[in-house]
Amino acid sequence: MSVDDPEVTTVTSKGQITIPSRLRDQFGLEKGTKLMVVPTDYGLVLKKIELPSVAEFQERVAERAEDNELSLGDVNQLVHATRETDE
């Protein structure tokens, strides 16, 4: 596929689009795939992102907590405190 072979899709009233099946197959986009939408000077770019499972995330947090001598409870408190200041 090249930029000379564009596909056309329509935005629904809910702001949704359908990615053509040829492109879904080519880029391995399945139900539940997460995409980041990046605004650029040229338009929008969709980027497939891989997020860790909850178990993988908890494992990573636990590993980092050990390295920083923090308990999982300490990390949870920090996350909640940060979320409250972001609002």
Side-chain angles (χ1 to χ4, degrees):
M1 184 189 95
S2 72
V3 293
D4 296 329
D5 301 323
E7 294 276 358
V8 176
T9 192
T10 302
V11 178
T12 69
S13 62
K14 293 183 178 183
Q16 299 169 329
I17 64 168
T18 297
I19 299 172
S21 62
R22 178 175 65 87
L23 297 175
R24 290 193 314 266
D25 293 343
Q26 181 177 348
F27 290 96
L29 304 177
E30 300 172 345
K31 179 181 178 182
T33 298
K34 301 291 184 192
L35 300 174
M36 182 182 337
V37 181
V38 182
T40 71
D41 290 339
Y42 304 101
L44 299 176
V45 173
L46 299 177
K47 171 74 173 129
K48 181 179 174 181
I49 57 175
E50 302 286 337
L51 298 175
S53 68
V54 172
E56 290 170 328
F57 179 76
Q58 288 175 334
E59 184 177 312
R60 291 180 190 179
V61 168
E63 288 171 3
R64 289 194 176 139
E66 289 172 9
D67 293 342
N68 294 305
E69 298 179 7
L70 296 172
S71 70
L72 187 54
D74 293 335
V75 173
N76 285 332
Q77 287 178 342
L78 290 169
V79 169
H80 290 293
T82 301
R83 287 181 178 163
E84 289 173 4
T85 60
D86 287 344
E87 294 175 356

